[in-house]
Amino acid sequence: MAILHQKHLLLISLLFLLSIFLFPTLTTPQPDLPIHPDSIQRHLLQVLPGSNNDTNTTRPDVDCNGILLSYNLDNMTRIRPFMKDNDSQPFGFGATASLQNSYTFTLRNYTLLIAFAHREILVSMVGAVLTEDYPLPYNTTKSQFVSFSGYPNPDLPTPIATGGDLNKVVANITLTGTLFGSKDPLPTNLTLADPSWDCTNMTRGEGKFANFTSVCCIPNPNHMPKEEIISTDEIYDRLIDPATDYQPRYAGNITISYDVLLTYAGSYLAQVTITNKDELTRLDQWKLSWKWRRNEFIYSIKGAYTSVTGSSECLFGPQGKYYQGMDFTNVTNCQRNPTVLDLPPWRYNDSDVGRIPYCCRNGTIFPKMVNASAYKSAFQMLVFKMPPDLDRFRLYSPDNFTITSASPMSHQYKCSEPMRVSPNDFPDPSGLSLNSTAVASWHVTCNITSTITPKCCVSFSAYYNESVMPCRTCACGCPEITTGPPCSTKAPAVLIPQEALLQRYDNRTMKQLQWAEKNHLTLPNPLPCGDYCGLNINWHILNQTTNKDYFNARMTVMNWDNFSYSDWYLTVKINPAFVSFSRSVGMNTSTVGNDTLILTAGNINTSYLIGVSNDSNPGMQQGVIMFKELMNMKLQNGDGNPVKVYFNGMECSMPEGILSDTTTSRAQKMSGHSILALVLITVLVNLLIIGL
């Protein structure tokens, strides 16, 4: 038995040694990673269910009579570093996004939007480019959707036009990158940027198609072009079928036209035109900026200049790598967000930078009804393009236009995204009676976003009253912290003598007190605050000395601000006196509609309203407006006063009331009643004392 037991032990030992030799992994602990680097992929790659190590290109047949969008996860492999938390575990992936045109319209310049959900990092792509031209690798968490534009083929023809050739109606975008977490690694949404397509009801494959998702886009019957600001995240410029797909030109306070006049493979000549469509508001020292979408840069510019010049951003950017033979010392601007300003008038005849119609006005754009020859500004620039847009027909306008004005009376504007419109016409430079047409045109509308606090106010005075109805209390806003004695922001403004108009609001206190004492006026305590306006406009009804059926009004503009105004103008709405307007002296006057006068400087000597030199000497300009008949008007009831006054397009604050011929006498009468009552009370008290 002992000998048999020893034989059994020997046999077991031999079997154990044999197992070690044949199956070393059963007994030897394995490292996490093979030592030889060539075996890393063979040992490490772990493919999720529904795919394999080879590219999985099997896709289901989806019934779609529209634009079929699909996304197929071709492969997915676990990569280092290995993480215990699966949501943090990185995976390398390869995927194919596809578009198939199964409709009767050509899909032009398509933009595919994909909503990734696993913090994907895109490393490479074939068959498209990122619409915003971001560099790779690209972190998809920067936006809700990642936008892809077709390249080199931006259009998908119809099956009818191609005989059903799938190579022509299908566009495949091959993606490689990294995602995190293995649970449901497909995007949450596929759609087209063009809102005229309805891409809802996504479907997901099952079984061997578990890594496939798709959606069928059909024409959206409810889509109508809207007059609203459209974000670049929602829609992008399309290369448009000139016969059918142009957008309408919407109205706005300011419009900007971006016109391509000449186009070449790698560059184009563009003209930018700013037009003032507002009836009252002007622009002063405008600044226009935008954002280039596709690494364009300004090689040269005429009719304007950029706030920054230089080519360093090109030299050290993709432009320098591509245009290696270009002399960048002559390049005007390489900023992605350039800012352009108008040239001064004396540069108009400069053959190098001027000679562009509507340029060189120092950034001033008038309303058309004020100056019909200066309601536009324009400049031209030579723009160089970058791959993949090296084709004379691949044209993109910049976006994110903003326009500002340096005047303290300027409004703030918000601009729409550029919309492709039918090409604009331009007068032929040869002087012949014909027009030349732009290659392509985009239209931008900019609207005033909010009204700003007035910077000017109006006061009334007249020959029939020694007092002045001054500007409102805090007409231009009251500061939070005031200097001097306390004042009331709620009390109405009190009457002042006419000579007090020559003093600024904060220097009239003594005049107010003296005038109130002289005319027995009751003053509030504390006194009302001043108007705090830099510009005061006085409307004074003059005495009719020769003909009682006529009347004249003198308008005086006083500038108490440090800012000077050139080429200023006034807009006066007046009723019922408008119908009897005759002419003006000292100002040029034109009429608009049935109640509006436009008053401009009479000559070059009065066109400049200087700022204040000191507190006692404001900049001042005057003019007299003549009315030929009174008809049934009553000047003492305010019929000769304006209803609204605008300075350079900004509405001024109007007085709280009218100035009649009894304004002061009523105050005196009220004050006299008070004195009489006081005398009677005194007499009665004395009689009572005597009687006692």
Side-chain angles (χ1 to χ4, degrees):
M1 292 295 293
I3 295 173
L4 181 60
H5 182 67
Q6 291 176 356
K7 290 180 179 180
H8 287 169
L9 291 175
L10 179 61
L11 180 59
I12 292 172
S13 299
L14 290 173
L15 291 173
F16 179 72
L17 292 174
L18 183 61
S19 67
I20 293 175
F21 180 79
L22 294 177
F23 308 104
T25 59
L26 296 176
T27 57
T28 305
Q30 297 299 301
D32 289 340
L33 189 67
I35 296 175
H36 198 283
D38 293 340
S39 61
I40 291 177
Q41 292 295 336
R42 184 175 68 254
H43 285 267
L44 257 190
L45 296 186
Q46 299 181 11
V47 184
L48 291 177
S51 62
N52 50 56
N53 283 318
D54 298 326
T55 300
N56 176 19
T57 57
T58 304
R59 302 171 191 174
D61 184 16
V62 180
D63 183 18
C64 178
N65 284 330
I67 307 298
L68 177 63
L69 310 180
S70 64
Y71 184 94
N72 191 78
L73 185 64
D74 300 329
N75 58 74
M76 179 172 165
T77 59
R78 184 168 175 250
I79 61 176
R80 283 192 179 273
F82 295 149
M83 311 294 291
K84 294 181 180 180
D85 181 11
N86 183 67
D87 291 338
S88 302
Q89 175 61 48
F91 292 84
F93 77 94
T96 303
S98 300
L99 301 89
Q100 179 175 339
N101 188 356
S102 300
Y103 199 61
T104 56
F105 295 159
T106 298
L107 183 64
R108 298 189 181 277
N109 197 34
Y110 66 82
T111 300
L112 173 65
L113 304 180
I114 302 179
F116 292 100
H118 291 79
R119 294 169 287 162
E120 283 85 349
I121 298 174
L122 301 180
V123 177
S124 67
M125 67 183 69
V126 178
V129 293
L130 292 174
T131 304
E132 291 286 356
D133 196 34
Y134 292 114
L136 297 177
Y138 176 71
N139 186 348
T140 62
T141 61
K142 293 181 179 179
S143 59
Q144 179 183 1
F145 286 96
V146 179
S147 179
F148 300 88
S149 294
Y151 174 77
N153 299 318
D155 304 333
L156 287 179
T158 68
I160 299 173
T162 60
D165 188 347
L166 292 179
N167 293 324
K168 296 180 179 180
V169 300
V170 175
N172 291 317
I173 304 173
T174 304
L175 304 173
T176 59
T178 303
L179 60 81
F180 296 86
S182 60
K183 184 179 180 181
D184 194 15
L186 294 177
T188 58
N189 198 2
L190 301 173
T191 188
L192 292 172
D194 188 348
S196 63
W197 292 97
D198 182 10
C199 304
T200 55
N201 301 322
M202 284 187 61
T203 60
R204 176 156 181 179
E206 299 177 353
K208 65 178 182 178
F209 304 123
N211 294 328
F212 177 86
T213 186
S214 65
V215 61
C216 183
C217 301
I218 59 176
N220 183 358
N222 298 321
H223 173 69
M224 294 291 291
K226 297 180 180 179
E227 186 177 355
E228 61 183 18
I229 295 174
I230 301 176
S231 169
T232 52
D233 291 332
E234 300 170 353
I235 187 170
Y236 297 88
D237 285 327
R238 296 173 291 162
L239 294 176
I240 292 173
D241 182 352
T244 59
D245 289 343
Y246 290 124
Q247 299 294 323
R249 289 175 170 84
Y250 294 118
N253 299 113
I254 302 291
T255 63
I256 301 170
S257 295
Y258 190 89
D259 300 291
V260 176
L261 306 181
L262 300 172
T263 179
Y264 311 97
S267 62
Y268 62 84
L269 178 67
Q271 176 166 305
V272 181
T273 306
I274 307 169
T275 304
N276 188 359
K277 296 288 188 176
D278 195 274
E279 294 183 350
L280 300 174
T281 305
R282 63 187 269 172
L283 287 176
D284 286 294
Q285 300 177 30
W286 56 258
K287 292 183 180 180
L288 181 67
S289 61
W290 62 79
K291 178 182 178 182
W292 293 116
R293 293 186 190 176
R294 307 178 73 83
N295 281 334
E296 301 96 330
F297 60 94
I298 303 173
Y299 186 86
S300 60
I301 189 170
K302 295 187 69 175
Y305 66 100
T306 57
S307 61
V308 174
T309 58
S311 57
S312 60
E313 293 187 36
C314 284
L315 289 173
F316 299 102
Q319 300 90 342
K321 294 180 181 178
Y322 181 77
Y323 292 102
Q324 293 187 5
M326 178 182 288
D327 182 7
F328 279 93
T329 58
N330 297 321
V331 171
T332 297
N333 183 278
C334 287
Q335 292 178 299
R336 186 161 188 172
N337 297 87
T339 298
V340 176
L341 301 89
D342 196 16
L343 287 169
W346 60 271
R347 299 300 297 270
Y348 179 81
N349 291 319
D350 190 321
S351 59
D352 294 329
V353 297
R355 294 290 186 179
I356 301 297
Y358 303 111
C359 86
C360 313
R361 296 196 181 100
N362 207 31
T364 298
I365 308 179
F366 291 95
K368 189 174 183 178
M369 68 179 187
V370 174
N371 190 336
S373 65
Y375 71 101
K376 291 182 179 180
S377 281
F379 59 91
Q380 293 180 0
M381 55 186 179
L382 181 61
V383 180
F384 270 71
K385 302 187 292 184
M386 287 287 293
D389 301 329
L390 301 181
D391 184 293
R392 60 179 178 167
F393 295 114
R394 287 189 64 85
L395 300 170
Y396 295 88
S397 76
D399 60 7
N400 290 356
F401 280 86
T402 59
I403 189 166
T404 59
S405 179
S407 170
M409 292 193 173
S410 297
H411 298 277
Q412 293 182 343
Y413 297 88
K414 188 170 184 179
C415 299
S416 70
E417 289 302 317
M419 301 298 293
R420 186 74 177 268
V421 295
S422 58
N424 286 316
D425 293 331
F426 298 92
D428 191 87
S430 65
L432 297 176
S433 180
L434 55 88
N435 291 331
S436 58
T437 303
V439 177
S441 298
W442 285 264
H443 183 79
V444 178
T445 60
C446 303
N447 289 306
I448 296 173
T449 56
S450 60
T451 57
I452 57 178
T453 304
K455 299 292 191 299
C456 54
C457 64
V458 178
S459 60
F460 291 153
S461 58
Y463 71 92
Y464 50 76
N465 197 313
E466 294 181 348
S467 296
V468 174
M469 181 66 71
C471 293
R472 285 175 178 264
T473 302
C474 298
C476 297
C478 276
E480 295 182 0
I481 301 176
T482 59
T483 58
C487 61
S488 171
T489 61
K490 303 297 183 181
V494 297
L495 299 178
I496 58 174
Q498 295 185 8
E499 64 269 18
L501 291 174
L502 298 177
Q503 292 179 308
R504 209 171 74 163
Y505 59 84
D506 52 357
N507 289 333
R508 297 175 182 168
T509 303
M510 187 58 65
K511 291 284 185 181
Q512 288 176 328
L513 296 175
Q514 292 174 350
W515 191 247
E517 182 180 1
K518 177 181 178 181
N519 293 279
H520 309 291
L521 301 177
T522 302
L523 296 178
N525 187 16
L527 290 174
C529 295
D531 53 67
Y532 293 98
C533 294
L535 281 165
N536 289 167
I537 300 169
N538 175 248
W539 181 274
H540 180 79
I541 303 296
L542 296 170
N543 190 8
Q544 302 106 308
T545 56
T546 58
N547 192 329
K548 298 299 182 181
D549 293 330
Y550 287 55
F551 83 95
N552 301 327
R554 182 183 64 231
M555 177 167 273
T556 305
V557 184
M558 291 168 282
N559 185 8
W560 295 100
D561 215 337
N562 294 322
F563 189 91
S564 298
Y565 298 90
S566 62
D567 299 318
W568 58 273
Y569 61 92
L570 291 165
T571 306
V572 179
K573 291 184 178 292
I574 184 169
N575 250 327
F578 176 85
V579 294
S580 64
F581 167 74
S582 175
R583 61 191 179 93
S584 62
V585 177
M587 292 182 180
N588 296 325
T589 307
S590 58
T591 60
V592 178
N594 57 7
D595 66 349
T596 303
L597 303 176
I598 303 294
L599 308 174
T600 58
N603 55 63
I604 192 171
N605 295 323
T606 60
S607 64
Y608 199 74
L609 183 61
I610 63 172
V612 65
S613 57
N614 54 59
D615 285 347
S616 60
N617 295 310
M620 186 183 302
Q621 297 292 349
Q622 285 185 332
V624 176
I625 301 95
M626 300 180 179
F627 299 87
K628 59 186 178 181
E629 56 183 329
L630 284 174
M631 295 190 302
N632 296 322
M633 291 185 297
K634 295 182 178 180
L635 299 181
Q636 289 83 354
N637 292 342
D639 289 349
N641 292 334
V643 178
K644 288 185 178 181
V645 176
Y646 300 81
F647 182 88
N648 282 358
M650 168 171 281
E651 185 174 355
C652 301
S653 173
M654 301 299 291
E656 292 176 291
I658 61 172
L659 189 68
S660 68
D661 56 352
T662 58
T663 302
T664 303
S665 61
R666 282 201 305 265
Q668 292 175 334
K669 191 178 295 183
M670 291 173 59
S671 188
H673 288 166
S674 300
I675 295 173
L676 178 60
L678 181 61
V679 171
L680 290 175
I681 292 173
T682 304
V683 172
L684 289 174
V685 170
N686 289 332
L687 290 175
L688 289 173
I689 293 174
I690 294 173
L692 291 174

